[in-house]
Amino acid sequence: MLAVHLISFFFSKLKEDPTKKVDRFLHAMRLQDEQLVDISNRFLAEMKKGLSAESLAAAAVKMLPTHVRSTPDGSEKGQFVALDLGGSKFKVLRVKVREDEGINKGGVEMEEKTYPIPKELHEGRAVELFDHVSESLKDFLLEKNMSPEKKHPLAFTFSFPCEHPGLDQGLLLSWCKNYKVRGLQGKDVVQFLRQAIDRTGDMDVDVLAVVNDTVATMMTCGFDDQCCEVGLIIGTGTNACYMEELRHIDMVQGDEGRMCVNTEWGAFGDDGALHDFITDFDRDVDAASLNPGKQTFEKMVSGMYLGELVRLVVLKMAKLGLLFDGHVSDALRTKGKITTADVAAMEEYRNGLKNTKEILTHLHLTPSPDDCVAVQHVSTIVSFRSSNLVAAGLVAILTRIRQNRNLRGLRITVGVDGTVYKTHPQYPKRLHKVVRRLLPDCHVRFVLSECGSSKGAALVAAVAQRLTSQRRKVDEALSLFTLNEEKLQLVKSRMREGLEAGLKSKGCTIKMLPSFVYHTPDGTERGKYLALDLGGTNFRAMLVRFKRQKTRLYHKIYTIPLEIMQGTGEELFDHLAQCVCDFLDYMGLKNVRLPAGFTFSFPCQQSDIDTGTLVSWTKGFKATDCEGEDVVSMLREAIKRRNEFDLDIVALVNDTVGTMMSCAYEDPKCEVGMIAGTGSNLCYMEELRNIEKLEQSNKWGGLGNDRCLEDIITLYDVEVDIHSVNPGKQRFEKLTSGMYLGEIVRQVLLDLTRRGLLFKGHVTETLKTPGIFETKYLSQIESDHLALLQVRSILQQLGLHGTCDDSIIVKEVCGAVSRRAAQMCGAGMAAVVDKIREDRGLERLSITVGVDGALYKLHPHFSQVLKETVGVMAPQCDVTFMPSEEGSGKGAALIAAVVRQKHQMQN
């Protein structure tokens, strides 16, 4: 007898570990990292298909835009009603955000009541379901003494797949979670809710938003953590949402900013994308479901199906004699007898085996200790596969966000809700571990939604209300820069009046200054000429050689320090003479007396081609003892003081005239020159019968000095003018030139920030610094190819740290200011070309405008808006704009050549 016991004991030791038996049986459910990466890549490809208009129809993962464009920023206020429909129960909530605190200061109060949904309504008529919802809502309002006479903003959490044409519209795509209500698929659930509210009566409710529970979860967690841009549900159903770049969402107009996309990832695999990962147990679950062939991924991971998967595995193993000595009870054969709650209980750390035995006993089974271990391990593998699959999908979403933002690493928060995540003891830890293992460069934080999705729905409504209010105020500010055709006609007529007055009088705001250039080049110009160009913060020396209508140029650029710009006149011209000396030395021409043209881009009264009295400084220059003096004589005297070289300065030229001459060398029809850069100016060929001189340099920057543009000038322009070096002067230039556009933008941004519409109301020292926002930033920020992330990068370089929404507003401000500048230049140009046409008695005029300046050349939209405005305001003129390739320097050399030829002919 002792020998028998010893042999029995020996063979029991040799018995196989029950977990290994399960591992072999469920090997297809045990996913390795390389398989998870493969699944993740497949889901990433499905996301791209769902976002594209071309492939959306065939995409299983629909990637539904939600029209939720922003997460909470802390400034939301008010009281909201929230409805939450998504499972076996229905909740109504009152959510208060105290106005004196704001949501990020603990000012949220919530009251809720849960209403059961009778089983028959799950498969009844849509009208009956929504009447029940509406009656529950009325009961709640009465119970909470919420006045029926006051309009209550409402947010609706509807946790089923919907297409959202707008934030307050949701077209049901399909039912899930054992719902199969008739008459609602393809229709607007908000419209059904509103109609039900009307039928119930005695309620004044404004439905602001409909969202699904995933979006609401993201918003709830975003309340506490503004890095939260992903929402995840792992409960009865499963889903994920995230903030996608709007430019990638083909189904929504616009490309600025972000929008929350509801992936509806439960349908992942419906097109066969997961065919090699689906087991026979998954097929059995699908075949017995209410929607066979649909929601493949959801049936592999969600709480609705995990218990059933475990039951089917245990049943099959029992039938094969691998469990319970082959005994199968009727209860084990019955669908739904093992729940997801049972799965969680079986995996409890301390009581798991005890719970497993109790659950199996309730199924009328007599499990051995090994049976309990094996069944517990089945639960572990099924739930572990669920968390692994969810991790793979989440890794795909995080990878896409990282790729969208061109980041190597990513710091982001995922808001999570759902009974599986909340109640399963091991699920969260497993999920977090796999995500971090597959994305080692990303710092991913998981935040549990404590208040459920209802608070998030209310916050969606609150954010929508805040954005609407903010949008209205921003639009009001930017509307000041909008020029309709009536205002443009006003600018054109005032410019025309100014031109006519300037031709007759010296005391007008538009200085019609003669340049003594009597004709444009004819192509016979020959020889070497020096061109000197002072028009802004740089001084350029250029050697130009003309030979058989071919040009060769050599140049060097020198900076004008601020202390020189605003020092004495003698210091300024001594600095210019030093620069010329350096250039001649550089070119080996120090001992050659060359004819020179001097481009001096400031208002001058010329009495001859080589003399010019400075009328006034512009563009930030304030050098003393210059205004009222002949600038050519001042340069000649500086050259004499240096006594190292000599020049024959034969012509003083404005940059606008130089630009016209440079372009006329290429196109004889060029009779207008325009500068749109640091400054703004224009010249054109005037008729002899109107003046004694043949050509006019039109200093149009002075338009408005007599307050004739008060209808257009904004409070921001007034601030810029007051703090300029020449208050009350060059008013038109201060609206249109690169010297001032950046400062106008800064004034607008400063005002919007002080009003709490930008940068969370935080006014930085940077934003208060005049001149910090250079006009070059307008060109960069308005670039069509620049993503908002790059806009934010530019702002951060300026010490301005804002959100994606802030970047959109900054871009809009830049666009409003630059568009107005281009339109005003276009209206002014229309006045000039129409005058030329009328003076020549032409029905139609064809003319070329030579243009130079960084604003025209570098700004992405300025030139197009300018052309469009001229076309509208001067419809009888065909105007061609010709950029000056070599700038006004070549024009100055050409004028010097023309003058030299004239002198030679006279001699």
Side-chain angles (χ1 to χ4, degrees):
M1 188 69 178
L2 178 62
V4 172
H5 281 300
L6 286 172
I7 292 169
S8 174
F9 176 76
F10 176 73
F11 279 107
S12 69
K13 286 293 186 181
L14 293 178
K15 274 188 179 181
E16 183 180 26
D17 181 349
T19 62
K20 291 182 179 178
K21 174 174 59 178
V22 175
D23 286 342
R24 279 201 308 275
F25 191 73
L26 294 180
H27 70 276
M29 286 191 176
R30 292 171 58 82
L31 302 175
Q32 305 302 311
D33 279 2
E34 56 269 23
Q35 292 174 296
L36 295 178
V37 170
D38 181 19
I39 293 169
S40 183
N41 289 335
R42 295 185 196 189
F43 185 63
L44 197 57
E46 289 292 316
M47 290 170 69
K48 291 177 183 177
K49 282 173 63 177
L51 289 168
S52 169
E54 294 179 0
S55 54
L56 174 61
V61 179
K62 292 304 182 184
M63 304 296 287
L64 303 173
T66 64
H67 294 269
V68 174
R69 294 173 181 256
S70 177
T71 50
D73 74 349
S75 62
E76 290 77 10
K77 301 173 183 177
Q79 176 174 280
F80 305 89
V81 178
L83 307 182
D84 191 342
L85 175 62
S88 58
K89 297 177 181 178
F90 167 68
K91 285 197 297 186
V92 187
L93 304 92
R94 173 162 62 180
V95 183
K96 289 183 182 179
V97 183
R98 291 201 298 272
E99 295 192 13
D100 59 331
E101 294 191 46
I103 63 174
N104 280 345
K105 297 179 181 177
V108 173
E109 296 176 1
M110 294 177 59
E111 301 172 76
E112 66 176 63
K113 186 174 181 180
T114 301
Y115 295 86
I117 297 179
K119 193 76 173 176
E120 61 270 19
L121 292 182
H122 288 211
E123 297 184 27
R125 292 167 52 236
V127 170
E128 295 168 347
L129 173 65
F130 280 93
D131 280 347
H132 176 72
V133 169
S134 176
E135 287 160 7
S136 301
L137 171 62
K138 184 176 181 179
D139 174 75
F140 181 84
L141 296 178
L142 290 172
E143 183 178 305
K144 301 300 178 183
N145 294 316
M146 298 174 72
S147 171
E149 298 176 2
K150 182 180 178 182
K151 186 179 286 292
H152 300 288
L154 182 144
F156 185 21
T157 302
F158 187 74
S159 305
F160 302 92
C162 285
E163 179 183 338
H164 293 269
L167 187 60
D168 62 345
Q169 295 173 284
L171 308 180
L172 178 67
L173 295 177
S174 62
W175 287 110
C176 55
K177 307 175 189 175
N178 282 335
Y179 271 77
K180 214 167 183 180
V181 178
R182 302 187 303 276
L184 190 60
Q185 198 160 329
K187 297 180 180 177
D188 183 7
V189 297
V190 174
Q191 188 64 27
F192 267 75
L193 176 61
R194 286 171 174 156
Q195 290 170 353
I197 290 171
D198 288 343
R199 284 194 297 273
T200 303
D202 296 326
M203 287 185 286
D204 191 359
V205 175
D206 183 14
V207 184
L208 295 181
V210 57
V211 296
N212 95 342
D213 53 349
T214 324
V215 179
T217 294
M218 182 188 73
M219 296 294 279
T220 297
C221 297
F223 158 64
D224 295 312
D225 184 341
Q226 292 186 14
C227 288
C228 184
E229 296 186 78
V230 181
L232 175 64
I233 296 290
I234 317 164
T236 306
T238 184
N239 197 12
C241 69
Y242 72 103
M243 297 301 289
E244 174 63 80
E245 304 300 316
L246 197 56
R247 68 183 183 275
H248 294 152
I249 308 174
D250 287 357
M251 303 309 292
V252 178
Q253 287 187 341
D255 58 2
E256 299 292 352
R258 295 178 185 144
M259 179 178 287
C260 181
V261 168
N262 172 19
T263 66
E264 288 298 338
W265 74 3
F268 178 37
D270 287 2
D271 57 356
L274 293 174
H275 68 96
D276 46 340
F277 293 101
I278 293 174
T279 67
D280 288 341
F281 305 110
D282 298 310
R283 293 185 184 94
D284 290 344
V285 165
D286 179 58
S289 68
L290 289 174
N291 53 350
K294 304 290 185 183
Q295 299 299 105
T296 301
F297 187 72
E298 183 170 82
K299 289 169 185 173
M300 297 170 79
V301 305
S302 80
M304 176 73 78
Y305 305 98
L306 290 184
E308 185 63 8
L309 280 168
V310 169
R311 186 189 71 82
L312 290 172
V313 173
V314 172
L315 177 63
K316 183 70 175 286
M317 290 184 73
K319 285 181 176 180
L320 293 174
L322 298 174
L323 289 174
F324 319 125
D325 293 327
H327 174 67
V328 178
S329 67
D330 289 340
L332 184 59
R333 297 178 190 274
T334 305
K335 180 183 175 183
K337 282 296 184 176
I338 296 181
T339 66
T340 300
D342 293 334
V343 174
M346 285 191 276
E347 292 187 64
E348 280 186 18
Y349 177 64
R350 296 187 183 279
N351 299 315
L353 284 174
K354 177 187 172 186
N355 295 338
T356 303
K357 184 175 182 179
E358 289 179 358
I359 291 166
L360 294 175
T361 302
H362 286 149
L363 294 174
H364 309 298
L365 296 166
T366 308
S368 68
D370 281 356
D371 288 335
C372 292
V373 171
V375 171
Q376 183 189 52
H377 197 51
V378 168
S379 290
T380 299
I381 290 175
V382 170
S383 64
F384 214 130
R385 184 186 69 157
S386 170
S387 62
N388 278 343
L389 289 171
V390 169
L394 193 54
V395 165
I397 290 173
L398 298 174
T399 299
R400 178 163 182 86
I401 293 173
R402 186 175 65 176
Q403 290 173 349
N404 283 345
R405 302 176 191 181
N406 197 26
L407 299 172
R408 182 176 176 181
L410 180 69
R411 181 176 290 271
I412 197 164
T413 298
V414 179
V416 197
D417 200 0
T419 53
V420 173
Y421 188 88
K422 285 181 173 180
T423 62
H424 192 290
Q426 308 300 325
Y427 202 101
K429 201 177 295 182
R430 293 170 184 166
L431 174 65
H432 304 170
K433 187 176 180 179
V434 175
V435 169
R436 288 163 183 158
R437 190 169 70 237
L438 296 181
L439 283 178
D441 293 333
C442 295
H443 179 82
V444 185
R445 180 171 181 249
F446 291 85
V447 173
L448 180 64
S449 173
E450 298 294 345
C451 304
S453 56
S454 308
K455 173 181 172 182
L459 288 172
V460 170
V463 168
Q465 210 172 54
R466 185 251 302 169
L467 290 179
T468 300
S469 174
Q470 180 189 55
R471 183 73 262 170
R472 185 180 65 254
K473 292 173 183 176
V474 170
D475 287 345
E476 286 172 359
L478 297 187
S479 69
L480 301 174
F481 295 92
T482 301
L483 300 181
N484 55 27
E485 197 165 328
E486 181 182 348
K487 286 188 176 180
L488 289 172
Q489 189 61 50
L490 176 71
V491 175
K492 179 184 175 183
S493 61
R494 300 266 166 91
M495 181 65 76
R496 179 65 180 268
E497 292 166 7
L499 297 175
E500 302 287 1
L503 289 169
K504 298 173 184 176
S505 169
K506 291 183 179 180
C508 297
T509 57
I510 300 180
K511 307 294 183 185
M512 302 293 283
L513 305 173
S515 70
F516 293 85
V517 174
Y518 287 87
H519 60 85
T520 53
D522 60 10
T524 64
E525 293 75 20
R526 300 287 185 274
K528 294 179 183 176
Y529 299 88
L530 195 67
L532 309 176
D533 189 348
L534 177 66
T537 54
N538 292 327
F539 173 69
R540 186 164 65 147
M542 179 187 298
L543 180 69
V544 186
R545 178 182 293 172
F546 299 109
K547 187 178 182 180
R548 296 174 188 169
Q549 285 195 307
K550 291 185 179 180
T551 309
R552 294 195 68 179
L553 298 99
Y554 311 87
H555 76 276
K556 204 169 179 182
I557 296 174
Y558 301 87
T559 300
I560 309 292
L562 183 63
E563 61 270 19
I564 297 292
M565 290 172 61
Q566 300 186 358
T568 67
E570 188 172 295
E571 289 170 341
L572 173 61
F573 283 93
D574 281 348
H575 180 74
L576 301 184
Q578 179 186 336
C579 297
V580 175
C581 182
D582 175 79
F583 179 72
L584 292 174
D585 195 33
Y586 172 72
M587 296 300 301
L589 295 170
K590 210 168 179 183
N591 298 319
V592 180
R593 189 171 189 266
L594 292 172
F598 182 20
T599 301
F600 187 76
S601 306
F602 302 91
C604 284
Q605 181 70 53
Q606 287 188 251
S607 55
D608 207 339
I609 189 66
D610 63 348
T611 62
T613 301
L614 177 62
V615 176
S616 61
W617 282 119
T618 57
K619 307 175 194 176
F621 277 74
K622 288 178 71 175
T624 58
D625 304 319
C626 293
E627 292 181 1
E629 300 294 330
D630 178 10
V631 293
V632 176
S633 295
M634 294 185 77
L635 180 57
R636 285 173 177 155
E637 288 166 7
I639 292 171
K640 282 182 184 177
R641 281 195 298 273
R642 191 160 192 88
N643 196 28
E644 291 185 49
F645 65 93
D646 196 12
L647 283 184
D648 181 15
I649 304 176
V650 298
L652 176 68
V653 186
N654 173 278
D655 56 348
T656 323
V657 180
T659 295
M660 183 188 73
M661 295 293 281
S662 176
C663 293
Y665 188 66
E666 309 292 334
D667 182 354
K669 289 202 302 182
C670 182
E671 297 184 80
V672 182
M674 178 182 176
I675 297 292
T678 306
S680 178
N681 199 11
L682 179 137
C683 72
Y684 71 102
M685 300 296 286
E686 180 58 87
E687 293 298 306
L688 273 172
R689 66 175 181 272
N690 294 331
I691 55 168
E692 296 298 322
K693 301 96 179 171
L694 184 60
E695 192 276 336
Q696 284 301 121
S697 174
N698 164 6
K699 289 293 179 183
W700 73 355
L703 181 69
N705 292 358
D706 60 355
R707 303 176 68 83
C708 69
L709 296 178
E710 291 303 299
D711 294 341
I712 291 168
I713 288 172
T714 69
L715 57 97
Y716 309 112
D717 301 311
V718 172
E719 282 297 311
V720 170
D721 179 55
I722 289 171
H723 295 100
S724 68
V725 296
N726 55 350
K729 298 180 180 179
Q730 297 300 106
R731 299 306 299 276
F732 186 81
E733 182 173 76
K734 288 171 184 173
L735 303 177
T736 59
S737 77
M739 183 82 176
Y740 302 99
L741 296 189
E743 184 60 11
I744 296 172
V745 168
R746 187 188 71 85
Q747 289 289 347
V748 178
L749 300 184
L750 184 60
D751 177 55
L752 294 180
T753 305
R754 284 172 172 163
R755 292 164 61 190
L757 303 175
L758 256 184
F759 307 127
K760 298 180 183 176
H762 181 52
V763 179
T764 63
E765 288 302 315
T766 299
L767 197 54
K768 291 190 283 187
T769 305
I772 194 71
F773 204 99
E774 298 174 38
T775 298
K776 69 177 182 181
Y777 294 127
L778 273 75
S779 298
Q780 294 172 8
I781 287 171
E782 289 187 69
S783 172
D784 293 329
H785 305 294
L786 200 66
L788 283 178
L789 192 69
Q790 293 165 290
V791 174
R792 289 177 73 179
S793 177
I794 292 170
L795 295 176
Q796 285 167 5
Q797 292 171 27
L798 294 169
L800 303 172
H801 300 278
T803 64
C804 182
D805 293 325
D806 290 333
S807 298
I808 293 173
I809 293 174
V810 170
K811 193 167 185 177
E812 289 176 348
V813 172
C814 291
V817 171
S818 62
R819 180 175 179 80
R820 183 190 66 168
Q823 286 182 306
M824 293 196 71
C825 287
M829 178 65 71
V832 171
V833 295
D834 252 355
K835 182 182 187 307
I836 294 172
R837 181 185 62 79
E838 291 172 13
D839 286 348
R840 297 179 187 179
L842 298 174
E843 189 68 31
R844 193 156 202 88
L845 173 71
S846 181
I847 196 168
T848 297
V849 177
V851 197
D852 200 5
L855 195 56
Y856 182 88
K857 289 183 173 179
L858 301 181
H859 192 281
H861 308 301
F862 188 95
S863 60
Q864 187 59 38
V865 175
L866 171 68
K867 292 171 191 174
E868 290 171 358
T869 306
V870 173
V872 171
M873 302 308 295
Q876 292 173 271
C877 300
D878 299 318
V879 182
T880 301
F881 288 86
M882 181 180 182
S884 173
E885 296 302 328
E886 289 87 18
S888 57
K890 177 183 172 183
L894 277 166
I895 293 172
V898 169
V899 172
R900 174 57 69 88
Q901 278 185 330
K902 181 180 178 183
H903 288 169
Q904 288 174 346
M905 290 173 62
Q906 290 174 344
N907 293 334

